[in-house]
Amino acid sequence: MENSFNNKIRVGQLSATDRVSFYKKTYAHVGLGVLLFIFFEYLLLQNASIVEFALSMTQGYKWLLLLGGFMLITNYAESTALKTTDKNLQYLAYSGYVFAEAFIFIPLIYMAISYTNNFEIIKQAGIVTLGLFAGISSIVFITKKDFSFIKAGLSIGFFIAIALLIAGTLFGFNLGLWFSVGMCVLAAGSILYQTSNLVHKFSTDDYIPAAIGLFASLMLLFWYVLQIFMSRD
């Protein structure tokens, strides 16, 4: 059965108590996604063959294939979670997406650990990411503004970013620090947009699709915050 947003009550139309309940469910599922990501990442990094394979996929066109596959998984997980009311399928889609995130993060996490010989830089980047995520999300709840109007700008920004990634991979140039900064801005905009959707798009049963969108934006921000930390020296 497909979700019909036109026939469902938006979270913004509910009482304050019911809205808070929905927000708690959504952010609890984002937190569960983060914990599951850490669990998957730990398991994957224990397998030398998987790490070697993931590192090999960062070379040339293989990285583009990996990114393309990841985008397909992202779209599938989001569309599946939105189109079905079956919670088991929604959880399966969410878990699959978290696993895909963990896999694509292997090279970056591996290099970050090698960079400092410990997890310090990862912890620092994680704290900054969570702080930014909380601050950006709070803007929506404080202002109660609908930020759906930024969707077009975000789409254009992501298309430009994808084009630059493809060009950088094919022609072998480093996109550098400012690209990471720009991607952090895009990720921040995505968090703003996804948080706005909690109130203005989703219904009370859509806490899993809402969590997937927020988790995806959070991990995008973490990816580039970590890259910025690694480029400091």
Side-chain angles (χ1 to χ4, degrees):
M1 179 184 296
E2 293 188 356
N3 279 344
S4 177
F5 291 120
N6 292 329
N7 296 325
K8 288 191 174 185
I9 300 174
R10 303 295 195 281
V11 174
Q13 298 172 304
L14 301 174
S15 66
T17 301
D18 289 336
R19 286 200 305 271
V20 170
S21 177
F22 174 78
Y23 298 150
K24 285 181 177 178
K25 282 183 180 179
T26 300
Y27 283 101
H29 280 76
V30 174
L32 287 173
V34 172
L35 293 176
L36 188 60
F37 170 82
I38 294 171
F39 175 71
F40 282 150
E41 197 68 48
Y42 173 79
L43 290 182
L44 290 170
L45 287 171
Q46 302 309 303
N47 190 309
S49 298
I50 292 176
V51 172
E52 184 177 350
F53 174 72
L55 290 172
S56 72
M57 292 298 292
T58 62
Q59 305 300 317
Y61 72 92
K62 292 181 180 179
W63 179 240
L64 295 180
L65 292 176
L66 183 61
L67 286 178
F70 177 73
M71 289 177 188
L72 287 175
I73 293 173
T74 301
N75 290 333
Y76 177 78
E78 291 180 339
S79 63
T80 298
L82 281 170
K83 289 179 179 178
T84 183
T85 56
D86 186 334
K87 294 301 179 192
N88 290 327
L89 285 178
Q90 288 182 337
Y91 279 119
L92 183 62
Y94 192 12
S95 300
Y97 176 68
V98 173
F99 183 83
E101 281 278 13
F103 182 83
I104 204 169
F105 259 87
I106 290 173
L108 186 61
I109 297 295
Y110 179 83
M111 287 186 287
I113 295 172
S114 302
Y115 183 79
T116 58
N117 293 319
N118 57 48
F119 291 91
E120 189 61 32
I121 195 170
I122 298 174
K123 286 191 281 187
Q124 292 174 1
I127 291 170
V128 170
T129 301
L130 290 175
L132 289 171
F133 180 78
I136 295 165
S137 295
S138 67
I139 293 173
V140 176
F141 297 118
I142 292 171
T143 65
K144 297 180 172 59
K145 187 176 179 62
D146 184 355
F147 287 92
S148 60
F149 65 89
I150 69 174
K151 182 179 180 179
L154 288 174
S155 298
I156 294 171
F158 281 118
F159 275 122
I160 293 172
I162 291 170
L164 289 173
L165 283 169
I166 292 173
T169 302
L170 293 178
F171 302 112
F173 60 83
N174 190 348
L175 294 172
L177 175 62
W178 288 109
F179 178 79
S180 294
V181 172
M183 289 303 298
C184 284
V185 173
L186 274 179
S190 182
I191 293 169
L192 201 61
Y193 173 74
Q194 294 291 346
T195 307
S196 178
N197 282 344
L198 292 186
V199 176
H200 302 286
K201 178 179 178 181
F202 292 113
S203 72
T204 52
D205 293 328
D206 294 323
Y207 50 88
I208 298 175
I212 292 176
L214 284 168
F215 177 79
S217 299
L218 173 66
M219 297 311 295
L220 178 65
L221 181 62
F222 177 55
W223 177 281
Y224 286 101
V225 168
L226 182 55
Q227 286 205 340
I228 290 172
F229 270 73
M230 291 172 63
S231 67
R232 287 181 302 177
D233 297 329

